[in-house]
Short mmCIF file of all heavy atoms in Angstrom, two decimals:
data_model
loop_
_atom_site.label_atom_id
_atom_site.label_comp_id
_atom_site.label_asym_id
_atom_site.label_seq_id
_atom_site.Cartn_x
_atom_site.Cartn_y
_atom_site.Cartn_z
N TYR H 262 -6.16 6.54 -7.26
CA TYR H 262 -5.59 6.48 -5.91
C TYR H 262 -5.14 5.08 -5.51
O TYR H 262 -3.99 4.88 -5.08
CB TYR H 262 -6.59 7.02 -4.88
CG TYR H 262 -6.05 6.95 -3.47
CD1 TYR H 262 -5.09 7.87 -3.03
CD2 TYR H 262 -6.44 5.95 -2.59
CE1 TYR H 262 -4.57 7.80 -1.75
CE2 TYR H 262 -5.93 5.87 -1.31
CZ TYR H 262 -4.99 6.80 -0.90
OH TYR H 262 -4.47 6.71 0.38
N ILE H 263 -6.05 4.09 -5.63
CA ILE H 263 -5.68 2.73 -5.18
C ILE H 263 -4.55 2.15 -6.02
O ILE H 263 -3.60 1.59 -5.47
CB ILE H 263 -6.93 1.82 -5.14
CG1 ILE H 263 -7.93 2.33 -4.10
CG2 ILE H 263 -6.52 0.38 -4.81
CD1 ILE H 263 -9.20 1.50 -3.99
N PRO H 264 -4.59 2.27 -7.36
CA PRO H 264 -3.43 1.81 -8.13
C PRO H 264 -2.13 2.50 -7.73
O PRO H 264 -1.07 1.87 -7.64
CB PRO H 264 -3.81 2.13 -9.58
CG PRO H 264 -5.30 2.14 -9.59
CD PRO H 264 -5.70 2.68 -8.25
N ALA H 265 -2.22 3.81 -7.45
CA ALA H 265 -1.02 4.56 -7.09
C ALA H 265 -0.44 4.09 -5.77
O ALA H 265 0.78 3.93 -5.63
CB ALA H 265 -1.35 6.06 -7.01
N ILE H 266 -1.30 3.85 -4.78
CA ILE H 266 -0.81 3.44 -3.47
C ILE H 266 -0.25 2.02 -3.53
O ILE H 266 0.71 1.68 -2.83
CB ILE H 266 -1.91 3.59 -2.40
CG1 ILE H 266 -1.30 3.81 -1.00
CG2 ILE H 266 -2.86 2.41 -2.37
CD1 ILE H 266 -0.70 5.16 -0.80
N LEU H 267 -0.82 1.17 -4.41
CA LEU H 267 -0.30 -0.18 -4.58
C LEU H 267 1.05 -0.14 -5.30
O LEU H 267 1.99 -0.85 -4.91
CB LEU H 267 -1.29 -1.03 -5.38
CG LEU H 267 -2.53 -1.50 -4.62
CD1 LEU H 267 -3.49 -2.22 -5.56
CD2 LEU H 267 -2.16 -2.42 -3.46
N VAL H 268 1.16 0.68 -6.34
CA VAL H 268 2.44 0.83 -7.04
C VAL H 268 3.49 1.39 -6.08
O VAL H 268 4.65 0.95 -6.09
CB VAL H 268 2.28 1.75 -8.27
CG1 VAL H 268 3.64 2.13 -8.84
CG2 VAL H 268 1.44 1.06 -9.33
N GLY H 269 3.09 2.35 -5.25
CA GLY H 269 4.02 2.91 -4.28
C GLY H 269 4.52 1.86 -3.31
O GLY H 269 5.73 1.77 -3.02
N SER H 270 3.61 1.03 -2.78
CA SER H 270 3.99 -0.02 -1.83
C SER H 270 4.92 -1.03 -2.49
O SER H 270 5.93 -1.46 -1.90
CB SER H 270 2.74 -0.73 -1.30
OG SER H 270 1.93 0.15 -0.55
N TYR H 271 4.59 -1.42 -3.73
CA TYR H 271 5.44 -2.38 -4.46
C TYR H 271 6.83 -1.79 -4.69
O TYR H 271 7.84 -2.48 -4.53
CB TYR H 271 4.79 -2.73 -5.79
CG TYR H 271 5.68 -3.57 -6.67
CD1 TYR H 271 5.82 -4.94 -6.44
CD2 TYR H 271 6.40 -3.00 -7.72
CE1 TYR H 271 6.65 -5.72 -7.23
CE2 TYR H 271 7.23 -3.78 -8.53
CZ TYR H 271 7.34 -5.13 -8.28
OH TYR H 271 8.17 -5.90 -9.06
N THR H 272 6.90 -0.51 -5.05
CA THR H 272 8.19 0.12 -5.36
C THR H 272 9.05 0.24 -4.12
O THR H 272 10.27 0.05 -4.17
CB THR H 272 7.97 1.50 -6.00
OG1 THR H 272 7.07 1.39 -7.10
CG2 THR H 272 9.28 2.08 -6.49
N VAL H 273 8.43 0.56 -2.98
CA VAL H 273 9.18 0.62 -1.72
C VAL H 273 9.79 -0.75 -1.43
O VAL H 273 10.96 -0.88 -1.07
CB VAL H 273 8.28 1.07 -0.57
CG1 VAL H 273 8.97 0.88 0.78
CG2 VAL H 273 7.89 2.54 -0.74
N ARG H 274 8.98 -1.80 -1.61
CA ARG H 274 9.47 -3.17 -1.35
C ARG H 274 10.61 -3.53 -2.31
O ARG H 274 11.63 -4.10 -1.91
CB ARG H 274 8.31 -4.16 -1.51
CG ARG H 274 8.71 -5.61 -1.16
CD ARG H 274 9.07 -5.66 0.31
NE ARG H 274 9.36 -6.99 0.78
CZ ARG H 274 10.55 -7.57 0.76
NH1 ARG H 274 11.58 -6.96 0.21
NH2 ARG H 274 10.72 -8.76 1.29
N LYS H 275 10.43 -3.17 -3.58
CA LYS H 275 11.40 -3.56 -4.61
C LYS H 275 12.70 -2.78 -4.50
O LYS H 275 13.80 -3.34 -4.61
CB LYS H 275 10.77 -3.33 -5.99
CG LYS H 275 11.54 -3.91 -7.16
CD LYS H 275 11.26 -5.39 -7.30
CE LYS H 275 11.87 -5.93 -8.57
NZ LYS H 275 11.64 -7.39 -8.70
N LYS H 276 12.59 -1.46 -4.27
CA LYS H 276 13.76 -0.59 -4.36
C LYS H 276 14.47 -0.34 -3.03
O LYS H 276 15.63 0.07 -3.02
CB LYS H 276 13.36 0.75 -4.98
CG LYS H 276 12.83 0.63 -6.42
CD LYS H 276 13.89 0.06 -7.35
CE LYS H 276 13.40 -0.03 -8.78
NZ LYS H 276 14.43 -0.55 -9.70
N ILE H 277 13.76 -0.55 -1.93
CA ILE H 277 14.40 -0.29 -0.62
C ILE H 277 14.65 -1.59 0.13
O ILE H 277 15.75 -1.84 0.62
CB ILE H 277 13.54 0.67 0.23
CG1 ILE H 277 13.41 2.02 -0.47
CG2 ILE H 277 14.16 0.85 1.62
CD1 ILE H 277 12.61 3.05 0.30
N LEU H 278 13.64 -2.46 0.20
CA LEU H 278 13.79 -3.70 0.94
C LEU H 278 14.32 -4.82 0.07
O LEU H 278 14.93 -5.77 0.55
CB LEU H 278 12.44 -4.11 1.55
CG LEU H 278 11.91 -3.16 2.63
CD1 LEU H 278 10.51 -3.54 3.04
CD2 LEU H 278 12.83 -3.14 3.84
N GLY H 279 14.07 -4.72 -1.24
CA GLY H 279 14.57 -5.73 -2.16
C GLY H 279 13.63 -6.91 -2.32
O GLY H 279 12.96 -7.33 -1.38
N GLY H 280 13.53 -7.42 -3.53
CA GLY H 280 12.70 -8.60 -3.79
C GLY H 280 11.27 -8.25 -4.13
O GLY H 280 10.88 -7.08 -4.19
N ASN H 281 10.47 -9.30 -4.35
CA ASN H 281 9.06 -9.12 -4.66
C ASN H 281 8.25 -8.94 -3.39
O ASN H 281 8.73 -9.18 -2.28
CB ASN H 281 8.53 -10.35 -5.43
CG ASN H 281 9.21 -10.50 -6.78
OD1 ASN H 281 9.42 -9.51 -7.49
ND2 ASN H 281 9.57 -11.73 -7.13
N LEU H 282 6.99 -8.53 -3.56
CA LEU H 282 6.10 -8.40 -2.42
C LEU H 282 5.96 -9.75 -1.72
O LEU H 282 5.73 -10.78 -2.37
CB LEU H 282 4.72 -7.90 -2.86
CG LEU H 282 4.59 -6.42 -3.20
CD1 LEU H 282 3.24 -6.15 -3.84
CD2 LEU H 282 4.76 -5.56 -1.96
N MET H 283 6.11 -9.74 -0.39
CA MET H 283 6.00 -10.96 0.39
C MET H 283 4.68 -10.98 1.14
O MET H 283 3.98 -9.97 1.22
CB MET H 283 7.16 -11.05 1.39
CG MET H 283 8.53 -10.99 0.73
SD MET H 283 8.83 -12.39 -0.39
CE MET H 283 8.89 -13.75 0.79
N GLY H 284 4.34 -12.12 1.72
CA GLY H 284 3.10 -12.22 2.48
C GLY H 284 3.04 -11.23 3.62
O GLY H 284 1.97 -10.70 3.96
N SER H 285 4.19 -10.94 4.22
CA SER H 285 4.23 -9.99 5.33
C SER H 285 3.89 -8.57 4.88
O SER H 285 3.54 -7.73 5.69
CB SER H 285 5.61 -10.01 5.99
OG SER H 285 6.62 -9.83 5.03
N ASP H 286 3.98 -8.31 3.57
CA ASP H 286 3.64 -6.98 3.06
C ASP H 286 2.13 -6.77 2.96
O ASP H 286 1.68 -5.65 2.67
CB ASP H 286 4.26 -6.77 1.67
CG ASP H 286 5.78 -6.79 1.72
OD1 ASP H 286 6.34 -6.07 2.54
OD2 ASP H 286 6.38 -7.54 0.94
N VAL H 287 1.35 -7.83 3.16
CA VAL H 287 -0.11 -7.70 3.13
C VAL H 287 -0.56 -6.66 4.14
O VAL H 287 -1.49 -5.88 3.90
CB VAL H 287 -0.79 -9.05 3.40
CG1 VAL H 287 -2.29 -8.88 3.59
CG2 VAL H 287 -0.52 -10.00 2.25
N LEU H 288 0.12 -6.61 5.30
CA LEU H 288 -0.25 -5.64 6.32
C LEU H 288 -0.19 -4.21 5.80
O LEU H 288 -1.13 -3.44 5.98
CB LEU H 288 0.68 -5.78 7.54
CG LEU H 288 0.43 -6.96 8.47
CD1 LEU H 288 1.54 -7.04 9.49
CD2 LEU H 288 -0.91 -6.84 9.14
N SER H 289 0.90 -3.88 5.14
CA SER H 289 1.04 -2.52 4.62
C SER H 289 0.03 -2.26 3.52
O SER H 289 -0.52 -1.16 3.40
CB SER H 289 2.47 -2.28 4.10
OG SER H 289 2.75 -3.13 3.02
N MET H 290 -0.24 -3.27 2.70
CA MET H 290 -1.21 -3.10 1.61
C MET H 290 -2.62 -2.93 2.16
O MET H 290 -3.40 -2.12 1.65
CB MET H 290 -1.14 -4.30 0.67
CG MET H 290 0.17 -4.40 -0.10
SD MET H 290 0.35 -5.98 -0.95
CE MET H 290 -1.09 -5.93 -2.01
N VAL H 291 -2.96 -3.70 3.20
CA VAL H 291 -4.28 -3.57 3.83
C VAL H 291 -4.49 -2.16 4.33
O VAL H 291 -5.51 -1.52 4.04
CB VAL H 291 -4.43 -4.57 4.99
CG1 VAL H 291 -5.64 -4.22 5.86
CG2 VAL H 291 -4.59 -5.99 4.47
N PHE H 292 -3.51 -1.65 5.06
CA PHE H 292 -3.70 -0.32 5.64
C PHE H 292 -3.59 0.77 4.60
O PHE H 292 -4.21 1.82 4.73
CB PHE H 292 -2.71 -0.09 6.78
CG PHE H 292 -3.31 0.72 7.90
CD1 PHE H 292 -4.43 0.28 8.56
CD2 PHE H 292 -2.77 1.94 8.27
CE1 PHE H 292 -5.00 1.02 9.58
CE2 PHE H 292 -3.32 2.69 9.28
CZ PHE H 292 -4.45 2.23 9.95
N ALA H 293 -2.81 0.54 3.54
CA ALA H 293 -2.71 1.54 2.47
C ALA H 293 -4.03 1.69 1.75
O ALA H 293 -4.49 2.81 1.48
CB ALA H 293 -1.61 1.14 1.48
N ILE H 294 -4.68 0.58 1.44
CA ILE H 294 -5.94 0.62 0.70
C ILE H 294 -7.11 0.99 1.59
O ILE H 294 -8.02 1.72 1.18
CB ILE H 294 -6.20 -0.74 0.01
CG1 ILE H 294 -5.13 -1.00 -1.04
CG2 ILE H 294 -7.59 -0.77 -0.64
CD1 ILE H 294 -5.24 -2.36 -1.70
N LEU H 295 -7.10 0.51 2.83
CA LEU H 295 -8.26 0.67 3.71
C LEU H 295 -8.05 1.73 4.78
O LEU H 295 -8.78 1.75 5.78
CB LEU H 295 -8.58 -0.67 4.39
CG LEU H 295 -8.78 -1.87 3.46
CD1 LEU H 295 -9.14 -3.11 4.26
CD2 LEU H 295 -9.84 -1.59 2.41
N TYR H 296 -7.06 2.61 4.60
CA TYR H 296 -6.80 3.63 5.62
C TYR H 296 -8.05 4.47 5.87
O TYR H 296 -8.55 5.14 4.96
CB TYR H 296 -5.64 4.53 5.19
CG TYR H 296 -5.42 5.70 6.11
CD1 TYR H 296 -5.29 5.51 7.48
CD2 TYR H 296 -5.38 7.00 5.63
CE1 TYR H 296 -5.12 6.57 8.35
CE2 TYR H 296 -5.20 8.06 6.47
CZ TYR H 296 -5.08 7.85 7.84
OH TYR H 296 -4.91 8.91 8.69
N PRO H 297 -8.59 4.45 7.08
CA PRO H 297 -9.86 5.13 7.38
C PRO H 297 -9.84 6.63 7.11
O PRO H 297 -10.86 7.19 6.68
CB PRO H 297 -10.06 4.85 8.87
CG PRO H 297 -9.30 3.60 9.14
CD PRO H 297 -8.10 3.68 8.24
N GLY H 298 -8.71 7.30 7.38
CA GLY H 298 -8.67 8.76 7.23
C GLY H 298 -9.03 9.21 5.83
O GLY H 298 -9.89 10.09 5.64
N GLN H 299 -8.39 8.60 4.82
CA GLN H 299 -8.66 9.00 3.44
C GLN H 299 -10.08 8.65 3.02
O GLN H 299 -10.76 9.43 2.35
CB GLN H 299 -7.64 8.34 2.51
CG GLN H 299 -7.74 8.75 1.04
CD GLN H 299 -8.67 7.87 0.23
OE1 GLN H 299 -8.81 6.68 0.50
NE2 GLN H 299 -9.31 8.45 -0.78
N ILE H 300 -10.56 7.48 3.41
CA ILE H 300 -11.91 7.06 3.04
C ILE H 300 -12.96 7.97 3.66
O ILE H 300 -13.91 8.41 2.98
CB ILE H 300 -12.16 5.60 3.47
CG1 ILE H 300 -11.20 4.66 2.72
CG2 ILE H 300 -13.60 5.19 3.22
CD1 ILE H 300 -11.29 3.21 3.16
N LEU H 301 -12.81 8.29 4.94
CA LEU H 301 -13.81 9.11 5.63
C LEU H 301 -13.86 10.53 5.09
O LEU H 301 -14.93 11.14 5.04
CB LEU H 301 -13.50 9.12 7.13
CG LEU H 301 -13.80 7.82 7.87
CD1 LEU H 301 -13.14 7.81 9.24
CD2 LEU H 301 -15.30 7.60 8.00
N ILE H 302 -12.72 11.07 4.67
CA ILE H 302 -12.71 12.44 4.15
C ILE H 302 -13.22 12.48 2.71
O ILE H 302 -14.10 13.28 2.36
CB ILE H 302 -11.30 13.05 4.24
CG1 ILE H 302 -10.91 13.24 5.72
CG2 ILE H 302 -11.25 14.39 3.51
CD1 ILE H 302 -11.84 14.17 6.50
N ASP H 303 -12.70 11.62 1.85
CA ASP H 303 -13.09 11.68 0.44
C ASP H 303 -14.47 11.09 0.19
O ASP H 303 -15.30 11.70 -0.50
CB ASP H 303 -12.06 10.97 -0.43
CG ASP H 303 -10.81 11.80 -0.65
OD1 ASP H 303 -10.78 12.95 -0.18
OD2 ASP H 303 -9.86 11.32 -1.29
N ASN H 304 -14.73 9.91 0.74
CA ASN H 304 -15.99 9.23 0.46
C ASN H 304 -17.08 9.54 1.47
O ASN H 304 -18.25 9.26 1.23
CB ASN H 304 -15.77 7.71 0.41
CG ASN H 304 -14.70 7.32 -0.60
OD1 ASN H 304 -13.55 7.12 -0.22
ND2 ASN H 304 -15.06 7.23 -1.86
#
């Protein structure tokens, strides 16, 4: 799950926004990995 969501975030940045992951993308990565809904249901 976590590798997939990170690959997904990187691909969105690369293929839609263009360029490598920037510091501003940390926000999306934080919420992708730490999203409470998925953690509370699965774990």
Side-chain angles (χ1 to χ4, degrees):
Y262 179 76
I263 296 180
I266 207 73
L267 285 174
V268 169
S270 295
Y271 173 79
T272 308
V273 169
R274 184 64 175 89
K275 191 80 172 178
K276 297 299 182 179
I277 298 181
L278 295 173
N281 296 318
L282 284 170
M283 303 297 293
S285 52
D286 297 309
V287 171
L288 284 172
S289 63
M290 293 169 59
V291 166
F292 216 59
I294 295 176
L295 307 182
Y296 173 52
Q299 184 270 329
I300 297 175
L301 288 166
I302 293 300
D303 282 357
N304 304 97

